[in-house]
Every structure is written in structure tokens, then in C-alpha cells.
Amino acid sequence: MSDKPMNSEASEGTGNWFPYPASKPARLMPPIALAYIGDAVYEVAVRQYLLAQPNLRPNHLHRRATGLVSAKAQSRMLGLLEKVLTEEERDIVRQGRNAKSGSLPKNADVLEYRHATALEGLVGSLYCDGHLDRLRELITFGIAQMENTEKS
């Protein structure tokens, strides 16, 4: 098997993981729709990160994943990322934070939930528009920051 990614176009930031392009540009999609796909993309990123770590016991993976994927953790990560976001990315975050989801959070307060939705919206926007290099950059930076703050 080759070391080259199966979908080199996606890895170069010009496409998505699968051949189903979004029906319209991300800027024209509702923030909640972007958060919908962003939630899944972020979850895969965290799971891939965890599989790169030495301890692969299921219980350990689940606990670590929860520590990075919960609304509280996503809210914290957004706070750590804000200093490196572009103006356009800040606008996407603002729209996601202000979006009404129609559901109430189960394990987070409303502010954390809105910030988590904003992060998911940003991830979804970058993914749908094919900005995979920037998406990887932000998620990698965010996870590193989260891990560093846990160790301190």
C-alpha cells in the first residue's frame, strides 16, 4: 500500500473526504447546518488524534475523547483558538454562537453550548469550503493547547 493519501485532492485542501459537495457555499448555509457536519468532523479529528497516542484501551479512549469533545471542552478550545482566528473565521464563530439550535444542552450551561456550537460551525465551514489545511492547523493547535493546559 502506498504512503500517499487515498484522496490526495482532499489532503491538499481542495476537496472533502467524500465526493458529495455541499449544495451551496458555507457562507450561505445556516450556522446550525455547519455545526451539524462540524460536530462529526471534529469528532473524527479527536478520535484520530487519540489513536495516535500510546494508550488504546477503550475506556481510556472514551474518557480522553469526552475530555476533548464535550460542550465544555469545545467551549474551552474555542477560547484558546480565538487569538489565531482570521476576521472571516471570527464572523463564522459569531454567527454560530448566536444561532438558535432549538434544543437545550444536557451537560453544559447555555454559554458553553453556544460556544461549542460556534466551534462546530467553524469546523463545518472550513470543511465544506475545502479549507482542510486550515482546519487541520486549527484543530492541531487547539488540541495541543488543551493538552498543555491539562498538564499545567
Side-chain angles (χ1 to χ4, degrees):
M1 189 163 220
S2 166
D3 287 341
K4 188 174 182 180
M6 287 174 53
N7 181 353
S8 61
E9 183 176 287
S11 68
E12 293 169 10
T14 59
N16 298 124
W17 295 339
F18 300 99
Y20 311 112
S23 59
K24 53 183 111 176
R27 69 185 177 341
L28 300 177
M29 289 186 188
I32 295 301
L34 294 172
Y36 172 75
I37 190 72
D39 176 51
V41 170
Y42 180 74
E43 173 93 17
V44 169
V46 167
R47 287 179 183 222
Q48 186 171 341
Y49 165 74
L50 293 175
L51 285 178
Q53 305 307 302
N55 189 345
L56 299 176
R57 291 181 313 210
N59 188 37
H60 180 79
L61 290 170
H62 177 72
R63 274 196 327 271
R64 297 270 318 271
T66 302
L68 291 167
V69 176
S70 69
K72 185 176 194 154
Q74 288 179 341
S75 175
R76 228 174 77 230
M77 181 179 282
L78 181 62
L80 295 167
L81 288 175
E82 284 181 320
K83 63 185 171 222
V84 298
L85 297 179
T86 66
E87 202 57 45
E88 183 179 351
E89 291 165 348
R90 284 188 186 104
D91 285 343
I92 294 164
V93 164
R94 182 185 44 76
Q95 291 168 12
R97 192 176 49 237
N98 294 334
K100 305 286 189 261
S101 70
S103 62
L104 294 173
K106 288 179 237 153
N107 298 315
D109 66 40
V110 174
L111 188 60
E112 286 173 337
Y113 187 72
R114 287 180 178 248
H115 283 104
T117 301
L119 176 67
E120 292 168 351
L122 175 61
V123 169
S125 177
L126 291 169
Y127 177 77
C128 287
D129 279 347
H131 300 296
L132 303 185
D133 289 338
R134 179 61 174 163
L135 176 61
R136 276 190 289 272
E137 181 183 326
L138 289 176
I139 289 176
T140 301
F141 178 79
I143 288 174
Q145 294 295 304
M146 296 280 285
E147 296 288 62
N148 286 339
T149 58
E150 273 184 22
K151 291 176 185 172
S152 313

PDB file of all heavy atoms in Angstrom, residues 97-132:
ATOM      1  N   ARG A  97     -22.305  31.163  17.311  1.00  0.00           N
ATOM      2  CA  ARG A  97     -22.603  31.424  18.724  1.00  0.00           C
ATOM      3  C   ARG A  97     -24.003  31.999  18.892  1.00  0.00           C
ATOM      4  O   ARG A  97     -24.693  31.707  19.859  1.00  0.00           O
ATOM      5  CB  ARG A  97     -21.552  32.389  19.281  1.00  0.00           C
ATOM      6  CG  ARG A  97     -21.562  32.522  20.776  1.00  0.00           C
ATOM      7  CD  ARG A  97     -20.451  33.412  21.285  1.00  0.00           C
ATOM      8  NE  ARG A  97     -20.379  34.670  20.576  1.00  0.00           N
ATOM      9  CZ  ARG A  97     -19.311  35.134  19.932  1.00  0.00           C
ATOM     10  NH1 ARG A  97     -18.196  34.431  19.903  1.00  0.00           N
ATOM     11  NH2 ARG A  97     -19.329  36.292  19.317  1.00  0.00           N
ATOM     12  N   ASN A  98     -24.444  32.780  17.923  1.00  0.00           N
ATOM     13  CA  ASN A  98     -25.751  33.420  18.005  1.00  0.00           C
ATOM     14  C   ASN A  98     -26.891  32.574  17.445  1.00  0.00           C
ATOM     15  O   ASN A  98     -28.051  32.949  17.566  1.00  0.00           O
ATOM     16  CB  ASN A  98     -25.723  34.772  17.286  1.00  0.00           C
ATOM     17  CG  ASN A  98     -24.815  35.764  17.985  1.00  0.00           C
ATOM     18  OD1 ASN A  98     -24.583  35.657  19.186  1.00  0.00           O
ATOM     19  ND2 ASN A  98     -24.290  36.711  17.242  1.00  0.00           N
ATOM     20  N   ALA A  99     -26.563  31.453  16.823  1.00  0.00           N
ATOM     21  CA  ALA A  99     -27.589  30.603  16.200  1.00  0.00           C
ATOM     22  C   ALA A  99     -28.450  29.948  17.270  1.00  0.00           C
ATOM     23  O   ALA A  99     -27.971  29.549  18.324  1.00  0.00           O
ATOM     24  CB  ALA A  99     -26.925  29.545  15.338  1.00  0.00           C
ATOM     25  N   LYS A 100     -29.709  29.816  16.969  1.00  0.00           N
ATOM     26  CA  LYS A 100     -30.646  29.142  17.875  1.00  0.00           C
ATOM     27  C   LYS A 100     -30.788  27.701  17.404  1.00  0.00           C
ATOM     28  O   LYS A 100     -31.237  27.431  16.306  1.00  0.00           O
ATOM     29  CB  LYS A 100     -32.020  29.833  17.841  1.00  0.00           C
ATOM     30  CG  LYS A 100     -31.972  31.320  18.148  1.00  0.00           C
ATOM     31  CD  LYS A 100     -31.748  31.566  19.618  1.00  0.00           C
ATOM     32  CE  LYS A 100     -31.914  33.018  19.978  1.00  0.00           C
ATOM     33  NZ  LYS A 100     -30.685  33.758  20.086  1.00  0.00           N
ATOM     34  N   SER A 101     -30.418  26.774  18.269  1.00  0.00           N
ATOM     35  CA  SER A 101     -30.417  25.370  17.861  1.00  0.00           C
ATOM     36  C   SER A 101     -31.770  24.704  18.066  1.00  0.00           C
ATOM     37  O   SER A 101     -32.036  23.665  17.485  1.00  0.00           O
ATOM     38  CB  SER A 101     -29.347  24.597  18.626  1.00  0.00           C
ATOM     39  OG  SER A 101     -29.723  24.468  19.974  1.00  0.00           O
ATOM     40  N   GLY A 102     -32.592  25.230  18.922  1.00  0.00           N
ATOM     41  CA  GLY A 102     -33.889  24.625  19.175  1.00  0.00           C
ATOM     42  C   GLY A 102     -33.858  23.554  20.243  1.00  0.00           C
ATOM     43  O   GLY A 102     -34.895  23.001  20.603  1.00  0.00           O
ATOM     44  N   SER A 103     -32.667  23.240  20.773  1.00  0.00           N
ATOM     45  CA  SER A 103     -32.595  22.249  21.851  1.00  0.00           C
ATOM     46  C   SER A 103     -31.780  22.839  22.998  1.00  0.00           C
ATOM     47  O   SER A 103     -30.986  23.749  22.809  1.00  0.00           O
ATOM     48  CB  SER A 103     -31.956  20.958  21.348  1.00  0.00           C
ATOM     49  OG  SER A 103     -30.640  21.194  20.927  1.00  0.00           O
ATOM     50  N   LEU A 104     -32.004  22.279  24.165  1.00  0.00           N
ATOM     51  CA  LEU A 104     -31.279  22.736  25.344  1.00  0.00           C
ATOM     52  C   LEU A 104     -30.135  21.777  25.641  1.00  0.00           C
ATOM     53  O   LEU A 104     -30.267  20.569  25.461  1.00  0.00           O
ATOM     54  CB  LEU A 104     -32.225  22.805  26.545  1.00  0.00           C
ATOM     55  CG  LEU A 104     -33.340  23.845  26.435  1.00  0.00           C
ATOM     56  CD1 LEU A 104     -34.313  23.693  27.597  1.00  0.00           C
ATOM     57  CD2 LEU A 104     -32.747  25.237  26.424  1.00  0.00           C
ATOM     58  N   PRO A 105     -29.025  22.303  26.129  1.00  0.00           N
ATOM     59  CA  PRO A 105     -27.892  21.434  26.448  1.00  0.00           C
ATOM     60  C   PRO A 105     -28.199  20.530  27.636  1.00  0.00           C
ATOM     61  O   PRO A 105     -28.908  20.921  28.556  1.00  0.00           O
ATOM     62  CB  PRO A 105     -26.774  22.426  26.785  1.00  0.00           C
ATOM     63  CG  PRO A 105     -27.457  23.695  27.147  1.00  0.00           C
ATOM     64  CD  PRO A 105     -28.753  23.707  26.383  1.00  0.00           C
ATOM     65  N   LYS A 106     -27.660  19.306  27.591  1.00  0.00           N
ATOM     66  CA  LYS A 106     -27.877  18.355  28.685  1.00  0.00           C
ATOM     67  C   LYS A 106     -26.818  18.499  29.774  1.00  0.00           C
ATOM     68  O   LYS A 106     -27.127  18.497  30.943  1.00  0.00           O
ATOM     69  CB  LYS A 106     -27.850  16.925  28.146  1.00  0.00           C
ATOM     70  CG  LYS A 106     -29.056  16.568  27.325  1.00  0.00           C
ATOM     71  CD  LYS A 106     -28.934  15.141  26.817  1.00  0.00           C
ATOM     72  CE  LYS A 106     -29.034  15.204  25.310  1.00  0.00           C
ATOM     73  NZ  LYS A 106     -28.387  14.180  24.594  1.00  0.00           N
ATOM     74  N   ASN A 107     -25.563  18.588  29.371  1.00  0.00           N
ATOM     75  CA  ASN A 107     -24.470  18.566  30.346  1.00  0.00           C
ATOM     76  C   ASN A 107     -23.596  19.808  30.308  1.00  0.00           C
ATOM     77  O   ASN A 107     -22.419  19.739  30.648  1.00  0.00           O
ATOM     78  CB  ASN A 107     -23.601  17.328  30.106  1.00  0.00           C
ATOM     79  CG  ASN A 107     -24.369  16.043  30.293  1.00  0.00           C
ATOM     80  OD1 ASN A 107     -25.103  15.912  31.261  1.00  0.00           O
ATOM     81  ND2 ASN A 107     -24.230  15.120  29.365  1.00  0.00           N
ATOM     82  N   ALA A 108     -24.167  20.917  29.871  1.00  0.00           N
ATOM     83  CA  ALA A 108     -23.386  22.155  29.798  1.00  0.00           C
ATOM     84  C   ALA A 108     -24.328  23.329  30.023  1.00  0.00           C
ATOM     85  O   ALA A 108     -25.536  23.211  29.826  1.00  0.00           O
ATOM     86  CB  ALA A 108     -22.731  22.276  28.427  1.00  0.00           C
ATOM     87  N   ASP A 109     -23.761  24.451  30.436  1.00  0.00           N
ATOM     88  CA  ASP A 109     -24.615  25.628  30.542  1.00  0.00           C
ATOM     89  C   ASP A 109     -24.816  26.216  29.147  1.00  0.00           C
ATOM     90  O   ASP A 109     -24.136  25.839  28.191  1.00  0.00           O
ATOM     91  CB  ASP A 109     -24.060  26.645  31.544  1.00  0.00           C
ATOM     92  CG  ASP A 109     -22.746  27.281  31.136  1.00  0.00           C
ATOM     93  OD1 ASP A 109     -22.583  27.592  29.933  1.00  0.00           O
ATOM     94  OD2 ASP A 109     -21.895  27.494  32.003  1.00  0.00           O
ATOM     95  N   VAL A 110     -25.749  27.134  29.023  1.00  0.00           N
ATOM     96  CA  VAL A 110     -26.136  27.672  27.717  1.00  0.00           C
ATOM     97  C   VAL A 110     -24.953  28.356  27.023  1.00  0.00           C
ATOM     98  O   VAL A 110     -24.759  28.192  25.815  1.00  0.00           O
ATOM     99  CB  VAL A 110     -27.337  28.632  27.853  1.00  0.00           C
ATOM    100  CG1 VAL A 110     -27.650  29.313  26.540  1.00  0.00           C
ATOM    101  CG2 VAL A 110     -28.553  27.866  28.352  1.00  0.00           C
ATOM    102  N   LEU A 111     -24.138  29.087  27.760  1.00  0.00           N
ATOM    103  CA  LEU A 111     -22.999  29.784  27.161  1.00  0.00           C
ATOM    104  C   LEU A 111     -21.984  28.786  26.597  1.00  0.00           C
ATOM    105  O   LEU A 111     -21.501  28.960  25.471  1.00  0.00           O
ATOM    106  CB  LEU A 111     -22.343  30.703  28.189  1.00  0.00           C
ATOM    107  CG  LEU A 111     -21.270  31.638  27.649  1.00  0.00           C
ATOM    108  CD1 LEU A 111     -21.844  32.572  26.588  1.00  0.00           C
ATOM    109  CD2 LEU A 111     -20.662  32.444  28.772  1.00  0.00           C
ATOM    110  N   GLU A 112     -21.661  27.749  27.365  1.00  0.00           N
ATOM    111  CA  GLU A 112     -20.741  26.722  26.865  1.00  0.00           C
ATOM    112  C   GLU A 112     -21.307  26.062  25.611  1.00  0.00           C
ATOM    113  O   GLU A 112     -20.579  25.816  24.646  1.00  0.00           O
ATOM    114  CB  GLU A 112     -20.508  25.643  27.925  1.00  0.00           C
ATOM    115  CG  GLU A 112     -19.629  26.076  29.061  1.00  0.00           C
ATOM    116  CD  GLU A 112     -19.554  25.054  30.164  1.00  0.00           C
ATOM    117  OE1 GLU A 112     -20.468  24.210  30.301  1.00  0.00           O
ATOM    118  OE2 GLU A 112     -18.568  25.104  30.926  1.00  0.00           O
ATOM    119  N   TYR A 113     -22.583  25.775  25.629  1.00  0.00           N
ATOM    120  CA  TYR A 113     -23.243  25.126  24.498  1.00  0.00           C
ATOM    121  C   TYR A 113     -23.163  26.004  23.249  1.00  0.00           C
ATOM    122  O   TYR A 113     -22.876  25.521  22.156  1.00  0.00           O
ATOM    123  CB  TYR A 113     -24.695  24.829  24.874  1.00  0.00           C
ATOM    124  CG  TYR A 113     -25.445  24.012  23.855  1.00  0.00           C
ATOM    125  CD1 TYR A 113     -25.180  22.659  23.678  1.00  0.00           C
ATOM    126  CD2 TYR A 113     -26.442  24.585  23.078  1.00  0.00           C
ATOM    127  CE1 TYR A 113     -25.882  21.902  22.756  1.00  0.00           C
ATOM    128  CE2 TYR A 113     -27.153  23.836  22.153  1.00  0.00           C
ATOM    129  CZ  TYR A 113     -26.865  22.490  21.997  1.00  0.00           C
ATOM    130  OH  TYR A 113     -27.556  21.750  21.086  1.00  0.00           O
ATOM    131  N   ARG A 114     -23.389  27.295  23.411  1.00  0.00           N
ATOM    132  CA  ARG A 114     -23.312  28.223  22.265  1.00  0.00           C
ATOM    133  C   ARG A 114     -21.891  28.333  21.724  1.00  0.00           C
ATOM    134  O   ARG A 114     -21.677  28.400  20.517  1.00  0.00           O
ATOM    135  CB  ARG A 114     -23.851  29.593  22.648  1.00  0.00           C
ATOM    136  CG  ARG A 114     -25.358  29.580  22.779  1.00  0.00           C
ATOM    137  CD  ARG A 114     -25.864  30.971  23.155  1.00  0.00           C
ATOM    138  NE  ARG A 114     -27.299  30.942  23.232  1.00  0.00           N
ATOM    139  CZ  ARG A 114     -28.098  31.573  22.375  1.00  0.00           C
ATOM    140  NH1 ARG A 114     -27.593  32.299  21.415  1.00  0.00           N
ATOM    141  NH2 ARG A 114     -29.395  31.488  22.501  1.00  0.00           N
ATOM    142  N   HIS A 115     -20.916  28.334  22.616  1.00  0.00           N
ATOM    143  CA  HIS A 115     -19.521  28.378  22.172  1.00  0.00           C
ATOM    144  C   HIS A 115     -19.130  27.071  21.480  1.00  0.00           C
ATOM    145  O   HIS A 115     -18.377  27.090  20.494  1.00  0.00           O
ATOM    146  CB  HIS A 115     -18.581  28.673  23.339  1.00  0.00           C
ATOM    147  CG  HIS A 115     -18.583  30.107  23.736  1.00  0.00           C
ATOM    148  ND1 HIS A 115     -19.227  30.563  24.855  1.00  0.00           N
ATOM    149  CD2 HIS A 115     -18.041  31.195  23.151  1.00  0.00           C
ATOM    150  CE1 HIS A 115     -19.075  31.875  24.941  1.00  0.00           C
ATOM    151  NE2 HIS A 115     -18.369  32.284  23.920  1.00  0.00           N
ATOM    152  N   ALA A 116     -19.626  25.953  21.980  1.00  0.00           N
ATOM    153  CA  ALA A 116     -19.358  24.665  21.332  1.00  0.00           C
ATOM    154  C   ALA A 116     -19.981  24.644  19.939  1.00  0.00           C
ATOM    155  O   ALA A 116     -19.348  24.186  18.966  1.00  0.00           O
ATOM    156  CB  ALA A 116     -19.908  23.517  22.186  1.00  0.00           C
ATOM    157  N   THR A 117     -21.193  25.145  19.823  1.00  0.00           N
ATOM    158  CA  THR A 117     -21.861  25.225  18.520  1.00  0.00           C
ATOM    159  C   THR A 117     -21.065  26.128  17.579  1.00  0.00           C
ATOM    160  O   THR A 117     -20.929  25.831  16.388  1.00  0.00           O
ATOM    161  CB  THR A 117     -23.306  25.739  18.681  1.00  0.00           C
ATOM    162  OG1 THR A 117     -24.015  24.849  19.543  1.00  0.00           O
ATOM    163  CG2 THR A 117     -24.020  25.834  17.343  1.00  0.00           C
ATOM    164  N   ALA A 118     -20.512  27.202  18.108  1.00  0.00           N
ATOM    165  CA  ALA A 118     -19.702  28.114  17.297  1.00  0.00           C
ATOM    166  C   ALA A 118     -18.451  27.411  16.772  1.00  0.00           C
ATOM    167  O   ALA A 118     -18.092  27.562  15.594  1.00  0.00           O
ATOM    168  CB  ALA A 118     -19.323  29.349  18.108  1.00  0.00           C
ATOM    169  N   LEU A 119     -17.783  26.636  17.633  1.00  0.00           N
ATOM    170  CA  LEU A 119     -16.605  25.889  17.189  1.00  0.00           C
ATOM    171  C   LEU A 119     -16.997  24.879  16.111  1.00  0.00           C
ATOM    172  O   LEU A 119     -16.331  24.765  15.077  1.00  0.00           O
ATOM    173  CB  LEU A 119     -15.938  25.170  18.358  1.00  0.00           C
ATOM    174  CG  LEU A 119     -14.750  24.286  17.969  1.00  0.00           C
ATOM    175  CD1 LEU A 119     -13.582  25.121  17.467  1.00  0.00           C
ATOM    176  CD2 LEU A 119     -14.327  23.412  19.129  1.00  0.00           C
ATOM    177  N   GLU A 120     -18.069  24.154  16.339  1.00  0.00           N
ATOM    178  CA  GLU A 120     -18.535  23.174  15.353  1.00  0.00           C
ATOM    179  C   GLU A 120     -18.899  23.855  14.040  1.00  0.00           C
ATOM    180  O   GLU A 120     -18.631  23.318  12.956  1.00  0.00           O
ATOM    181  CB  GLU A 120     -19.734  22.404  15.898  1.00  0.00           C
ATOM    182  CG  GLU A 120     -19.378  21.490  17.056  1.00  0.00           C
ATOM    183  CD  GLU A 120     -20.594  20.945  17.781  1.00  0.00           C
ATOM    184  OE1 GLU A 120     -21.734  21.399  17.499  1.00  0.00           O
ATOM    185  OE2 GLU A 120     -20.421  20.053  18.633  1.00  0.00           O
ATOM    186  N   GLY A 121     -19.500  25.036  14.104  1.00  0.00           N
ATOM    187  CA  GLY A 121     -19.835  25.786  12.899  1.00  0.00           C
ATOM    188  C   GLY A 121     -18.596  26.192  12.122  1.00  0.00           C
ATOM    189  O   GLY A 121     -18.565  26.124  10.887  1.00  0.00           O
ATOM    190  N   LEU A 122     -17.560  26.602  12.838  1.00  0.00           N
ATOM    191  CA  LEU A 122     -16.293  26.963  12.194  1.00  0.00           C
ATOM    192  C   LEU A 122     -15.678  25.739  11.514  1.00  0.00           C
ATOM    193  O   LEU A 122     -15.264  25.808  10.357  1.00  0.00           O
ATOM    194  CB  LEU A 122     -15.319  27.546  13.219  1.00  0.00           C
ATOM    195  CG  LEU A 122     -13.912  27.859  12.701  1.00  0.00           C
ATOM    196  CD1 LEU A 122     -13.959  28.895  11.576  1.00  0.00           C
ATOM    197  CD2 LEU A 122     -13.027  28.324  13.848  1.00  0.00           C
ATOM    198  N   VAL A 123     -15.649  24.622  12.222  1.00  0.00           N
ATOM    199  CA  VAL A 123     -15.111  23.381  11.650  1.00  0.00           C
ATOM    200  C   VAL A 123     -15.917  22.996  10.417  1.00  0.00           C
ATOM    201  O   VAL A 123     -15.360  22.663   9.371  1.00  0.00           O
ATOM    202  CB  VAL A 123     -15.108  22.249  12.704  1.00  0.00           C
ATOM    203  CG1 VAL A 123     -14.812  20.894  12.070  1.00  0.00           C
ATOM    204  CG2 VAL A 123     -14.115  22.556  13.814  1.00  0.00           C
ATOM    205  N   GLY A 124     -17.238  23.068  10.520  1.00  0.00           N
ATOM    206  CA  GLY A 124     -18.099  22.733   9.388  1.00  0.00           C
ATOM    207  C   GLY A 124     -17.890  23.647   8.199  1.00  0.00           C
ATOM    208  O   GLY A 124     -17.861  23.201   7.049  1.00  0.00           O
ATOM    209  N   SER A 125     -17.723  24.920   8.451  1.00  0.00           N
ATOM    210  CA  SER A 125     -17.499  25.884   7.378  1.00  0.00           C
ATOM    211  C   SER A 125     -16.184  25.610   6.656  1.00  0.00           C
ATOM    212  O   SER A 125     -16.128  25.578   5.428  1.00  0.00           O
ATOM    213  CB  SER A 125     -17.499  27.308   7.950  1.00  0.00           C
ATOM    214  OG  SER A 125     -17.212  28.244   6.950  1.00  0.00           O
ATOM    215  N   LEU A 126     -15.130  25.408   7.420  1.00  0.00           N
ATOM    216  CA  LEU A 126     -13.823  25.123   6.816  1.00  0.00           C
ATOM    217  C   LEU A 126     -13.874  23.812   6.031  1.00  0.00           C
ATOM    218  O   LEU A 126     -13.331  23.722   4.929  1.00  0.00           O
ATOM    219  CB  LEU A 126     -12.740  25.067   7.892  1.00  0.00           C
ATOM    220  CG  LEU A 126     -12.409  26.402   8.565  1.00  0.00           C
ATOM    221  CD1 LEU A 126     -11.520  26.183   9.781  1.00  0.00           C
ATOM    222  CD2 LEU A 126     -11.769  27.366   7.583  1.00  0.00           C
ATOM    223  N   TYR A 127     -14.544  22.824   6.583  1.00  0.00           N
ATOM    224  CA  TYR A 127     -14.651  21.536   5.902  1.00  0.00           C
ATOM    225  C   TYR A 127     -15.447  21.667   4.602  1.00  0.00           C
ATOM    226  O   TYR A 127     -15.004  21.220   3.546  1.00  0.00           O
ATOM    227  CB  TYR A 127     -15.291  20.493   6.829  1.00  0.00           C
ATOM    228  CG  TYR A 127     -15.475  19.173   6.134  1.00  0.00           C
ATOM    229  CD1 TYR A 127     -14.395  18.318   5.933  1.00  0.00           C
ATOM    230  CD2 TYR A 127     -16.718  18.789   5.649  1.00  0.00           C
ATOM    231  CE1 TYR A 127     -14.547  17.116   5.263  1.00  0.00           C
ATOM    232  CE2 TYR A 127     -16.876  17.585   4.976  1.00  0.00           C
ATOM    233  CZ  TYR A 127     -15.790  16.754   4.789  1.00  0.00           C
ATOM    234  OH  TYR A 127     -15.947  15.566   4.112  1.00  0.00           O
ATOM    235  N   CYS A 128     -16.611  22.272   4.675  1.00  0.00           N
ATOM    236  CA  CYS A 128     -17.475  22.379   3.488  1.00  0.00           C
ATOM    237  C   CYS A 128     -16.836  23.208   2.374  1.00  0.00           C
ATOM    238  O   CYS A 128     -17.044  22.928   1.196  1.00  0.00           O
ATOM    239  CB  CYS A 128     -18.831  22.975   3.868  1.00  0.00           C
ATOM    240  SG  CYS A 128     -19.871  21.822   4.781  1.00  0.00           S
ATOM    241  N   ASP A 129     -16.078  24.208   2.747  1.00  0.00           N
ATOM    242  CA  ASP A 129     -15.417  25.037   1.731  1.00  0.00           C
ATOM    243  C   ASP A 129     -14.080  24.451   1.267  1.00  0.00           C
ATOM    244  O   ASP A 129     -13.388  25.055   0.447  1.00  0.00           O
ATOM    245  CB  ASP A 129     -15.220  26.464   2.247  1.00  0.00           C
ATOM    246  CG  ASP A 129     -16.478  27.306   2.116  1.00  0.00           C
ATOM    247  OD1 ASP A 129     -17.424  26.876   1.412  1.00  0.00           O
ATOM    248  OD2 ASP A 129     -16.519  28.406   2.706  1.00  0.00           O
ATOM    249  N   GLY A 130     -13.707  23.292   1.809  1.00  0.00           N
ATOM    250  CA  GLY A 130     -12.493  22.618   1.363  1.00  0.00           C
ATOM    251  C   GLY A 130     -11.199  23.192   1.904  1.00  0.00           C
ATOM    252  O   GLY A 130     -10.128  22.918   1.370  1.00  0.00           O
ATOM    253  N   HIS A 131     -11.277  23.964   2.976  1.00  0.00           N
ATOM    254  CA  HIS A 131     -10.078  24.550   3.587  1.00  0.00           C
ATOM    255  C   HIS A 131      -9.507  23.574   4.626  1.00  0.00           C
ATOM    256  O   HIS A 131      -9.419  23.883   5.815  1.00  0.00           O
ATOM    257  CB  HIS A 131     -10.407  25.903   4.230  1.00  0.00           C
ATOM    258  CG  HIS A 131     -10.926  26.914   3.274  1.00  0.00           C
ATOM    259  ND1 HIS A 131     -10.173  27.402   2.223  1.00  0.00           N
ATOM    260  CD2 HIS A 131     -12.131  27.519   3.188  1.00  0.00           C
ATOM    261  CE1 HIS A 131     -10.882  28.273   1.537  1.00  0.00           C
ATOM    262  NE2 HIS A 131     -12.083  28.350   2.095  1.00  0.00           N
ATOM    263  N   LEU A 132      -9.130  22.394   4.142  1.00  0.00           N
ATOM    264  CA  LEU A 132      -8.721  21.318   5.040  1.00  0.00           C
ATOM    265  C   LEU A 132      -7.371  21.581   5.699  1.00  0.00           C
ATOM    266  O   LEU A 132      -7.159  21.175   6.838  1.00  0.00           O
ATOM    267  CB  LEU A 132      -8.722  19.982   4.309  1.00  0.00           C
ATOM    268  CG  LEU A 132     -10.059  19.584   3.674  1.00  0.00           C
ATOM    269  CD1 LEU A 132      -9.973  18.184   3.091  1.00  0.00           C
ATOM    270  CD2 LEU A 132     -11.210  19.698   4.641  1.00  0.00           C
TER     271      LEU A 132
END
